[in-house]
Amino acid sequence: MDSLTKIIAVANQKGGVGKTTTSVNLAACLAEKKKKVLLVDCDPQGNASSGYGIDKSALEQTIYHVLIDNAAVQDVIQPTEFKVDVLPANIELAGAEVELVAAISRETRLKKALDSVKENYDYIIIDCPPSLGLLTLNSLAAADSVLMPIQCEFYALEGVSQLMNTIELVRNNLNPQLEVEGVLMTMFDSRTKLSEQVVAEVRANFGDTVYKTMIPRTVRLSEAPSYGEPILYYDKRSKGAEVYLKLAKEVIARGK
């Protein structure tokens, strides 16, 4: 492993927990802190790509062509005005889940592709799909660590044990170095007792791996993607921008 590059998969097979919001905004905030960042969109919905203003329908090549046709990853990467490069995705990627089943070395295709460019970056952030299929396995096989967003809600920990089992399987079979980068509490509402209880329960389970930074529910954060901008550019003074800058600081500090 090239110790200078950190590859972080943002994963939780539960949908709607803030994976893409975190991938998009953490990448922008790491770049703001003078880091070279590649954002890999591994979700067929392609929301991380459109979150950076990329027109998904106009793409000639995407991560699909990298995984299935062995397209050169440097030809597919799109530079953006937000100081972050993006390896984009669109709905074509949904077919990859099926096509990879019969492919040779099907779980390590993304790793192989990223190996060819990783020395150009300090951080590679992979936005995983909300499932534990072959796209997520490719992401975990390529990553050094997993960042798990967990929503502050009643069933928060329900899907996490499944994800932990998958991480264990990947460690045993594909990527022995895979670590848990951290657990991020999202959609935190300080006015509710439930949020506090969920945070306490997650801390009891994961201890110091839980980030001190928590992501609140904010309107500005949910508005930014429809303008194709990370929160830092959409509204630099917002609470959302402030917390993701704090998170980037924590991520950098943990890597030292």
Side-chain angles (χ1 to χ4, degrees), residues 30-115:
L30 287 167
E32 181 71 7
K33 297 202 176 289
K34 306 284 185 283
K35 303 294 179 189
K36 291 197 207 107
V37 184
L38 172 65
L39 175 62
V40 177
D41 193 346
C42 211
D43 184 346
Q45 293 173 65
N47 291 339
S49 304
S50 49
Y52 271 81
I54 293 168
D55 179 358
K56 295 179 291 195
S57 59
L59 293 168
E60 284 179 22
Q61 285 194 308
T62 65
I63 188 171
Y64 169 86
H65 300 92
V66 172
L67 295 174
I68 302 298
D69 303 334
N70 291 321
V73 74
Q74 45 275 56
D75 296 343
V76 184
I77 288 172
Q78 304 252 338
T80 71
E81 62 190 285
F82 309 110
K83 305 183 206 149
V84 172
D85 289 350
V86 177
L87 179 56
N90 59 20
I91 196 64
E92 270 189 299
L93 188 58
E97 198 77 69
V98 179
E99 290 173 62
L100 280 169
V101 171
I104 293 166
S105 62
R106 60 187 187 180
E107 295 97 351
T108 52
R109 293 198 160 204
L110 183 59
K111 176 180 168 36
K112 192 173 151 223
L114 294 181
D115 278 348

Side-chain angles (χ1 to χ4, degrees), residues 153-154 156-157 195-207:
E153 58 156 32
F154 192 63
L157 283 167
S195 273
E196 300 287 358
Q197 286 168 339
V198 172
V199 171
E201 190 184 354
V202 171
R203 284 195 196 283
N205 276 274
F206 289 98

Side-chain angles (χ1 to χ4, degrees), residues 1-3 5-12 19 22-23 26 30 40 110-111 114 118 122-128 136-149 163-164 166-168 170-171 175-183 209 211 250-252 254-256:
M1 187 191 103
D2 176 358
S3 59
T5 310
K6 188 86 190 260
I7 303 181
I8 301 173
V10 180
N12 183 339
K19 272 191 303 291
T22 294
S23 302
L26 175 59
L30 287 167
V40 177
L110 183 59
K111 176 180 168 36
L114 294 181
K118 74 177 190 180
D122 300 309
Y123 286 92
I124 297 178
I125 307 291
I126 308 174
D127 185 30
C128 297
T136 297
L137 277 181
N138 261 274
S139 304
L140 297 179
D144 301 313
S145 58
V146 186
L147 189 159
M148 285 188 277
L163 180 59
M164 293 306 290
T166 304
I167 291 171
E168 202 47 47
V170 171
R171 268 190 200 134
N175 183 0
Q177 272 80 45
L178 186 65
E179 293 173 359
V180 173
E181 176 71 24
V183 175
T209 56
Y211 291 106
E250 261 195 274
V251 167
I252 292 167
R254 283 191 183 189
K256 284 179 179 160

